[in-house]
Amino acid sequence: MRYKFTESEKRFSFVGKARYFFILSIVITVLGVLTLAFAGLHYGVDFKAGSSVDFSVKKDLSGQKNAIQQFLTDEGYGSPALTVGTNRVTMRFPDTLQQDKEEKLKADFASKFDKSASAEVNTVDPEMARELQLNALKAVAIASIGIILYVSIRFEWRFAVAGIVALLHDAFIVISLFSIFRLEVNLPFIVAVLTIIGYSINDTIVIFDRIRENLRFAKIKTGADLANLVNASIWQTLTRSINTVMTVLIAALCLFIFGGESIKLFSLAMLFGLISGAYSSIFIASQLWLVLKNRQKPKMAAKTPAAS
Amino acid sequence: MNRLLTFVLIVVLSAGVVGATSPWLVKQIKLGLDLKGGFEILYEASPLDGGGKVSKDSLVQTARSLEERANRTGVAEPDVSIEGTNRIRVKIAGVTDEAKVREVLSKPANLTFRSAVGCTPQQGYCKTELNGSDFVPNGASVRQSNLNAYEIDIKLKDASKFAKVTGDIAKLASTGNNQLAIYLDDQQISAPNVNEEINSNTASITGSFTLDEANNLKNTINLGALPLKLTEKYTQSVGATLGQLSLQETLFAGGLATVLILLFMFVFYRIPGAIASFAIIVYIWMLLLGFYLMDATLTLPGIAAFILGIGMAVDANIITFERIREEMRSGKSVLSSLKAGSKNSFRTIIDAHVTTVIAGLVLFFIGTGAVKGFAVTLILSIVVSIITNVGYSRLLLHLLIRSNKLVKPAYFGIKESEIRAL
């Protein structure tokens, strides 16, 4: 389909309002940096070492928090962070629970509170926790480099840079939201962030691809022409962007509402990330590319920018 | 007409294969311990006497020995793998007596030579004469004897100690209890007779071993002589009931999500949407098949990746259909819209998918445990998605449109008024 200039003029200008979206994203990012700096992340056992014990119970123990606390103190388990829900009791021990103590705790808890209690125990050594964290960071860094290389080869470096900024923006927003709401950061969370990175770049590439295609046929004389082209490209792919994010949101929402307890946080992270991913693809990435492209002005008038 | 027939044939055939094999396939999928209950331990191995490094061989032997032990306790399919240079991950799903299995696992293999010196007849070989620390580390070797039997030679650190032990045992010759029994943990391997004092720093274990058996024994003994100290670095244990509950809840969520997505596709894209829905069902089936063929274990994050994969697989269809619709709106015929739309959307889909595969590959090579499993699911789902949601769904759409039964734009969810003149 040929690109036509007149098409986009009546419509909402994603490019014209870019400034506001940049500001919005910067504000969220700064807020995130502040909360991360002052409050940090609420690390789960995967990253902080120690043991976490989750009991799944049939009886409603929500009224018995004090009794459970008392039981733990009496039996010499110290006072772990305790969350008592309707059908789930979570204990978080700052030290690693030895095997015999773990067995005893499971048996004692079951006999005292609920015979049908079923437990999930996670124990991580401090050294291991640090390594996991480092590996996660390494994975993000290497994945980013890989994507930059691929996009630079297939498109041009400006697309790669804009795409990576959008991708890191999404990962960072999810991490910030988890920091703000004090949600637990564990291994599945890292997996979720990495999936978001995959999704975000996927979504962004589709719009970039359209810009690249339109560039091939367009005669760009001024910066305004280029802005119009980007805007039209976003509009052309908008239905697809919305429909796709709708379907993945349906999936993530179902998992969040009905899925197992242990993937609740995973699904929540996915939800945040998918929304942010769609937002950054539509409102941030291409606009950023435009900013970068406009700096290339001297060449602009001379020849049609070749994209691929 | 022929094309329509082919279309119907393919649909009926796929539906038949999917319908007939799905229940069987679902049963074949291995479930991870978070869905089945069980436990996972990550051990870090270090040499027992502090100094020195853990060699690759000793690590492999330790892992083999752990697997052997787990098997001996009667658990099904223990999964023992080596990570990095000094770690061993053990996963055991569906155990009932977790405490016992863990205890058996953590005890180092111990080679002992025992005798009946000073024992009552009921006690058998009650006296431990020599133990792991008396043997030269990694000193065991396999030798073929004159009679073509395989024997295992063991080196002792101190010949005089062996001389004294064998001297004492030889004195029992009159009672018939003059054996030096060789035990690995609590299992007797052989009990050769000792008739005289042996003043040597080698001993040999004879028996009717095959070469493989002899080699295995040698490896295990070498492990016993150099027991790696195993420390638990990470453990996860999930109760069986909890695992099943997670499985049920997550499957329900997944089923619901799938139905909603398929409905959405049908309402929005009509006929092509229906084809996409069908392709997505085939996609789910092929993904399960891939899991089965790769002998992969399905875990909770894996299921989540799976379900999100469905969401993303829809994307491939949406990109194609939107493109076709765009071409139609610009006034092209259905057939030429299909051609142009398919061609233009293919490159987009490939570029978008490759970037995600890059992320998946990085996760696979860097990640451990659950992250690795997730990466495998992600990569597999993208490959399968290209086959089913690009190849298969397009084939169906082409057949249907070329049969001239699907020429009204309304079938694609487009109003006549939206179409511009060329």
Side-chain angles (χ1 to χ4, degrees):
Chain A
M1 206 181 118
R2 297 289 162 103
Y3 160 75
K4 297 185 178 65
F5 285 111
T6 46
E7 223 174 89
S8 58
E9 277 157 14
K10 299 182 286 269
R11 293 163 156 177
F12 174 81
S13 172
F14 290 105
V15 176
K17 301 281 187 293
R19 188 179 313 156
Y20 302 107
F21 298 115
F22 285 158
I23 291 171
L24 177 68
S25 286
I26 290 168
V27 168
I28 297 175
T29 310
V30 169
L31 275 178
V33 170
L34 288 177
T35 35
L36 276 173
F38 290 105
L41 284 168
H42 174 47
Y43 283 119
V45 68
D46 292 340
F47 291 101
K48 208 177 148 193
S51 291
S52 81
V53 183
D54 284 315
F55 285 103
S56 181
V57 289
K58 293 254 162 61
K59 281 188 204 160
D60 186 0
L61 293 178
S62 50
Q64 298 214 45
K65 184 166 179 176
N66 289 334
I68 296 170
Q69 188 81 68
Q70 192 62 45
F71 154 78
L72 289 170
T73 320
D74 291 349
E75 300 289 320
Y77 294 108
S79 45
L82 185 66
T83 326
V84 182
T86 41
N87 49 17
R88 198 173 172 88
V89 178
T90 303
M91 299 165 195
R92 174 78 176 73
F93 296 88
D95 303 317
T96 51
L97 211 56
Q98 293 306 308
Q99 192 189 332
D100 48 343
K101 265 188 124 177
E102 178 193 319
E103 301 293 339
K104 191 169 174 301
L105 175 65
K106 279 198 260 185
D108 289 353
F109 184 89
S111 67
K112 197 160 162 108
F113 293 100
D114 185 348
K115 291 270 181 297
S116 62
S118 184
E120 174 172 349
V121 184
N122 278 285
T123 298
V124 175
D125 182 272
E127 190 189 319
M128 201 68 204
R130 270 195 299 278
E131 200 183 297
L132 272 172
Q133 230 172 334
L134 214 64
N135 266 353
L137 282 176
K138 215 162 79 182
V140 174
I142 296 178
S144 301
I145 293 170
I147 292 169
I148 287 182
L149 284 178
Y150 180 78
V151 178
S152 298
I153 293 166
R154 292 282 296 158
F155 294 75
E156 59 160 0
W157 68 268
R158 290 179 191 86
F159 282 113
V161 171
I164 294 297
V165 170
L167 164 170
L168 293 177
H169 163 271
D170 299 333
F172 192 75
I173 281 197
V174 179
I175 294 169
S176 302
L177 285 172
F178 266 60
S179 167
I180 292 169
F181 296 119
R182 313 300 308 148
L183 296 166
E184 189 178 299
V185 170
N186 51 18
L187 202 55
F189 172 82
I190 296 300
V191 176
V193 170
L194 295 165
T195 320
I196 290 159
I197 289 177
Y199 171 81
S200 167
I201 192 73
N202 190 312
D203 206 26
T204 309
I205 290 291
V206 174
I207 302 178
F208 282 177
D209 191 72
R210 185 57 71 97
I211 295 176
R212 176 176 65 174
E213 188 185 324
N214 285 335
L215 274 174
R216 212 175 290 161
F217 300 110
K219 289 190 177 62
I220 304 289
K221 293 193 187 73
T222 62
D225 287 349
L226 196 61
N228 271 336
L229 182 142
V230 170
N231 207 36
S233 303
I234 297 174
W235 267 105
Q236 284 164 13
T237 47
L238 198 61
T239 321
R240 172 263 154 200
S241 301
I242 294 171
N243 284 356
T244 299
V245 78
M246 281 289 292
T247 52
V248 276
L249 275 183
I250 291 173
L253 208 62
C254 282
L255 280 183
F256 176 64
I257 300 173
F258 302 107
E261 193 72 37
S262 30
I263 53 165
K264 277 260 145 79
L265 285 174
F266 172 88
S267 323
L268 190 64
M270 287 299 307
L271 272 177
F272 288 157
L274 293 174
I275 295 168
S276 170
Y279 159 82
S280 71
S281 301
I282 298 172
F283 297 100
I284 304 286
S286 318
Q287 289 82 336
L288 208 57
W289 173 81
L290 191 62
V291 171
L292 290 171
K293 193 74 184 170
N294 276 334
R295 301 214 162 164
Q296 195 196 15
K297 258 178 188 147
K299 280 184 180 172
M300 191 76 74
K303 64 170 187 134
T304 311
S308 54
Chain B
M1 201 57 213
N2 270 344
R3 294 203 174 98
L4 192 63
L5 202 68
T6 320
F7 173 83
V8 173
L9 215 66
I10 291 177
V11 170
V12 171
L13 204 70
S14 327
V17 171
V18 170
T21 55
S22 287
W24 171 82
L25 196 55
V26 168
K27 274 202 201 89
Q28 299 303 307
I29 303 293
K30 266 201 290 184
L31 296 177
L33 57 95
D34 49 358
L35 297 171
K36 202 175 171 186
F39 66 92
E40 175 177 339
I41 304 174
L42 184 66
Y43 289 111
E44 190 171 272
S46 53
L48 201 52
D49 35 0
K53 285 183 83 175
V54 176
S55 73
K56 184 85 189 161
D57 281 350
S58 63
L59 199 63
V60 171
Q61 283 159 27
T62 310
R64 209 176 281 154
S65 159
L66 283 176
E67 192 167 350
E68 178 64 28
R69 282 151 190 243
N71 280 327
R72 229 178 279 162
T73 61
V75 298
E77 298 185 47
D79 174 4
V80 182
S81 56
I82 290 171
E83 273 174 23
T85 52
N86 62 345
R87 286 186 183 147
I88 300 173
R89 190 182 292 270
V90 180
K91 289 186 207 169
I92 295 175
V95 276
T96 40
D97 192 357
E98 186 194 317
K100 188 182 145 215
V101 179
R102 272 171 86 167
E103 201 209 298
V104 172
L105 284 180
S106 53
K107 195 175 61 176
N110 202 4
L111 180 71
T112 50
F113 280 20
R114 301 178 196 184
S115 76
V117 175
C119 306
T120 62
Q122 291 83 13
Q123 285 174 304
Y125 306 109
C126 73
K127 187 177 180 211
T128 301
E129 300 280 7
L130 299 166
N131 62 36
S133 58
D134 292 317
F135 306 110
V136 175
N138 273 321
S141 58
V142 173
R143 178 171 54 84
Q144 198 168 15
S145 75
N146 301 337
L147 297 165
N148 279 335
Y150 293 99
E151 295 182 354
I152 295 126
D153 283 341
I154 306 169
K155 283 204 187 75
L156 289 131
K157 284 179 183 164
D158 185 357
S160 60
K161 190 171 178 183
F162 194 46
K164 187 179 178 308
V165 168
T166 45
D168 286 350
I169 296 171
K171 285 176 198 151
L172 292 176
S174 56
T175 62
N177 286 336
N178 56 330
Q179 291 92 22
L180 182 59
I182 301 164
Y183 278 80
L184 193 66
D185 289 339
D186 280 322
Q187 200 185 17
Q188 187 182 317
I189 297 170
S190 66
N193 284 328
V194 177
N195 296 317
E196 57 195 29
E197 185 183 295
I198 306 170
N199 191 358
S200 156
N201 62 352
T202 54
S204 53
I205 305 173
T206 54
S208 49
F209 303 122
T210 65
L211 181 59
D212 273 355
E213 279 168 359
N215 273 325
N216 271 340
L217 194 58
K218 177 202 76 177
N219 290 339
T220 329
I221 290 171
N222 276 337
L223 167 67
L226 179 72
L228 291 174
K229 200 167 92 187
L230 298 176
T231 347
E232 291 187 357
K233 283 287 163 179
Y234 169 89
T235 65
Q236 183 190 24
S237 93
V238 181
T241 356
L242 188 62
Q244 263 155 27
L245 190 72
S246 301
L247 179 64
Q248 278 164 14
E249 285 172 344
T250 309
L251 282 185
F252 172 75
L256 187 70
T258 311
V259 170
L260 287 176
I261 290 173
L262 299 189
L263 264 175
F264 174 87
M265 286 303 282
F266 183 68
V267 170
F268 215 86
Y269 293 100
R270 309 295 162 84
I271 302 284
I275 289 176
S277 297
F278 190 69
I280 286 162
I281 291 168
V282 175
Y283 161 84
I284 295 171
W285 177 83
M286 269 190 74
L287 210 51
L288 286 174
L289 188 70
F291 259 81
Y292 167 64
L293 293 177
M294 293 195 326
D295 204 23
T297 307
L298 195 62
T299 57
L300 212 48
I303 293 189
F306 200 114
I307 294 163
L308 284 162
I310 297 171
M312 295 211 208
V314 172
D315 189 39
N317 285 296
I318 291 182
I319 290 175
T320 312
F321 298 161
E322 278 303 328
R323 204 61 205 234
I324 294 173
R325 278 168 28 138
E326 259 178 64
E327 304 290 348
M328 286 169 94
R329 286 201 192 95
S330 74
K332 286 188 185 156
S333 77
V334 173
L335 190 59
S336 49
S337 298
L338 177 76
K339 280 182 185 161
S342 300
K343 202 184 97 213
N344 287 328
S345 59
F346 186 71
R347 194 192 45 228
T348 314
I349 294 170
I350 293 298
D351 276 340
H353 280 51
V354 169
T355 45
T356 308
V357 168
I358 291 174
L361 284 176
V362 172
L363 287 192
F364 180 78
F365 286 112
I366 290 188
T368 50
V371 177
K372 227 186 184 81
F374 177 82
V376 170
T377 317
L378 189 67
I379 295 168
L380 184 69
S381 71
I382 289 171
V383 174
V384 173
S385 171
I386 290 177
I387 298 171
T388 53
N389 298 298
V390 180
Y392 184 78
S393 101
R394 278 178 189 197
L395 173 71
L396 289 183
L397 198 60
H398 273 255
L399 285 171
L400 201 60
I401 289 176
R402 283 165 176 269
S403 72
N404 287 329
K405 294 284 168 212
L406 198 84
V407 283
K408 276 194 205 154
Y411 293 151
F412 291 81
I414 291 190
K415 297 187 198 86
E416 295 281 347
S417 61
E418 289 177 46
I419 300 172
R420 284 193 309 269
L422 256 184

